[in-house]
Amino acid sequence: MDHYFSRVAKLTPTTFWVNNVTRKQAALGLEYGALGCTQNPSYVWKMLSDAEEGPYAVSVLRECLSYSDDDNQVACELQRRLIKTVSDVFMPLWESSHGKYGYVSIQGDPIHEEDWEVVLEEGRKNRELNPNIMIKIPATEAGLKATEVLLAEGTPINATEVMGVDQVTALGKLYKKACAAMDKPPVMYFSLITGIYNEWLKKDVAEKGIDINPDVLHQAGIAIAKKVYELNQSRDYGMGYISGGSRTLDDFYELVGGKISVTMNWKGSCDELLKADKPVIARLFNPIQAEVLNELNAKLPQFRAAFWEGGLKTEEFGDFGPVMYFRNSFISSWKKELDMIAAERKK
């Protein structure tokens, strides 16, 4: 079957994953060549409110009510059961590739993600779902601590909420240290959330009334993505690179050519790329023009913090504007889920 993603695979090392998918979308992703799947804390609410999956998700919610008297624990269990069905879809790929492909990552409770012990406990429990489950952990100070322990236990990791260069270098150093003491280290990816970073930056610039060329502003996230790619390769960190948070088709097009897995929602991204069916052009290694970088650096301290090494301290990772913006979207969805659980319990 010839289509856009099959041609990308033939001509470049760029691959795609699917994000927050229904069971049907997971199967479609595999059909068109997806090599993995990412899920985040907004996944459950997306399923509960989905026209097709909603009735099924609600039925699973009702089954979970007896799991605990704590609604938050019910929410965690509901997420596990829903994601287990998606990981089952990807298990044949994981098995046939001998664990190289077919991972499904799970990121749990966003409300307590700055408590590393909660993150660690959730990670261990979530890992029991299936052999192809990858634990998704925010690249914050607390997340790094939990990641170090889980790597030592042989757990595959997807470090997420990455918005800047310093987060990548911290993760790379941590992973190299872990690998040095292991014969067969677990797979580790980091997810640079390019699209969300750009979305937040545009809102932040508008709120602060900063006068900047829109064409220049549009390239901020891609500039960081290209720099991160070069760093990960040149320093031989050994981590896989996932680009997430896609908001425009450019979030895929501009990264074609590199050894990157771009994770996207099926509806609105994957399906639109297939429909557009554009020629495959490797763009990742096209340099960002000096004029663009000069204006971004001159006008946006929030860009400098993400782009330059030393822009963020480890203890600042969790409080960085785009990280908080991303996490707040998860918390909002998680709270809606908790409200529904409480309502079902009353029934």
Side-chain angles (χ1 to χ4, degrees):
M1 182 168 56
D2 182 70
H3 51 78
Y4 178 68
F5 290 127
S6 68
R7 299 199 312 277
V8 169
K10 287 176 184 176
L11 293 175
T12 80
T14 308
T15 60
F16 83 102
W17 290 31
V18 285
N19 178 66
N20 275 6
V21 289
T22 64
R23 292 167 295 172
K24 180 179 179 181
Q25 290 168 348
L28 280 169
L30 279 171
E31 181 182 347
Y32 283 92
L35 295 183
C37 177
T38 55
Q39 313 283 46
N40 62 45
S42 64
Y43 174 70
V44 174
W45 178 247
K46 182 176 179 179
M47 294 304 101
L48 287 169
S49 55
D50 183 79
E52 185 175 310
E53 286 281 72
Y56 164 72
V58 170
S59 70
V60 178
L61 184 162
R62 289 170 180 159
E63 293 172 2
C64 291
L65 289 175
S66 60
Y67 176 78
S68 172
D69 292 333
D70 183 332
D71 287 351
N72 200 66
Q73 288 303 311
V74 170
C76 293
E77 178 64 13
L78 174 58
Q79 184 192 46
R80 281 190 285 271
R81 295 190 190 186
L82 292 177
I83 290 178
K84 170 70 164 59
T85 63
V86 175
S87 69
D88 288 342
V89 176
F90 277 87
M91 268 300 293
L93 175 60
W94 186 86
E95 291 170 340
S96 65
S97 68
H98 304 289
K100 186 175 182 180
Y101 306 121
Y103 284 101
V104 175
S105 67
I106 174 172
Q107 179 185 355
D109 173 10
I111 297 174
H112 300 99
E113 71 175 42
E114 285 305 297
D115 184 333
W116 80 274
E117 291 179 322
V118 172
V119 175
L120 179 61
E121 181 183 356
E122 268 201 340
R124 287 169 170 164
K125 188 174 291 186
N126 291 341
R127 177 66 179 142
E128 296 172 0
L129 289 173
N130 253 343
N132 66 333
I133 286 291
M134 176 177 279
I135 304 306
K136 197 174 185 184
I137 299 180
T140 61
E141 187 172 23
L144 290 171
K145 194 171 181 179
T147 296
E148 186 172 12
V149 176
L150 289 171
L151 283 173
E153 295 175 355
T155 304
I157 296 291
N158 176 5
T160 187
E161 298 183 20
V162 179
M163 303 286 181
V165 166
D166 284 318
Q167 289 170 287
V168 175
T169 58
L171 290 164
K173 291 173 184 176
L174 188 158
Y175 188 53
K176 287 192 82 167
K177 180 182 175 183
C179 291
M182 303 176 73
D183 292 331
K184 294 182 179 180
V187 172
M188 179 168 175
Y189 286 84
F190 68 89
S191 289
L192 183 76
I193 314 299
T194 308
I196 293 292
Y197 176 83
N198 254 14
E199 182 178 274
W200 167 82
L201 185 62
K202 289 174 183 177
K203 290 177 182 290
D204 196 49
V205 164
E207 288 173 4
K208 293 174 178 174
I210 299 172
D211 182 22
I212 186 169
N213 184 330
D215 293 331
V216 168
L217 184 61
H218 181 73
Q219 298 179 66
I222 295 300
I224 295 167
K226 292 185 176 191
K227 182 167 185 175
V228 161
Y229 184 83
E230 189 278 327
L231 281 175
N232 190 47
Q233 293 292 316
S234 65
R235 297 184 184 180
D236 195 27
Y237 285 143
M239 300 183 293
Y241 183 166
I242 295 174
S243 178
S246 297
R247 288 297 181 267
T248 71
L249 299 190
D250 277 350
D251 291 328
F252 186 87
Y253 290 138
E254 293 299 324
L255 298 179
V256 171
K259 192 174 181 181
I260 299 177
S261 299
V262 184
T263 183
M264 302 168 288
N265 292 345
W266 179 263
K267 188 176 181 180
S269 290
C270 296
D271 59 350
E272 291 299 324
L273 285 164
L274 287 167
K275 189 186 302 182
D277 200 29
K278 288 190 174 184
V280 175
I281 301 172
R283 292 188 170 97
L284 177 71
F285 301 107
N286 293 342
I288 301 292
Q289 296 299 308
E291 293 82 359
V292 171
L293 284 176
N294 287 342
E295 187 167 354
L296 288 169
N297 277 306
K299 294 184 175 181
L300 304 180
Q302 59 274 60
F303 173 77
R304 296 196 299 270
F307 187 78
W308 295 107
E309 288 190 74
L312 291 171
K313 297 176 183 177
T314 303
E315 59 268 24
E316 296 173 328
F317 291 170
D319 296 326
F320 189 34
V323 174
M324 294 178 67
Y325 175 74
F326 198 31
R327 184 190 308 146
N328 286 339
S329 70
F330 295 155
I331 291 173
S332 175
S333 294
W334 195 265
K335 287 182 176 178
K336 290 176 183 176
E337 176 191 350
L338 290 174
D339 288 342
M340 182 175 282
I341 291 170
E344 288 294 331
R345 197 183 289 280
K346 285 181 181 178
K347 292 180 184 178

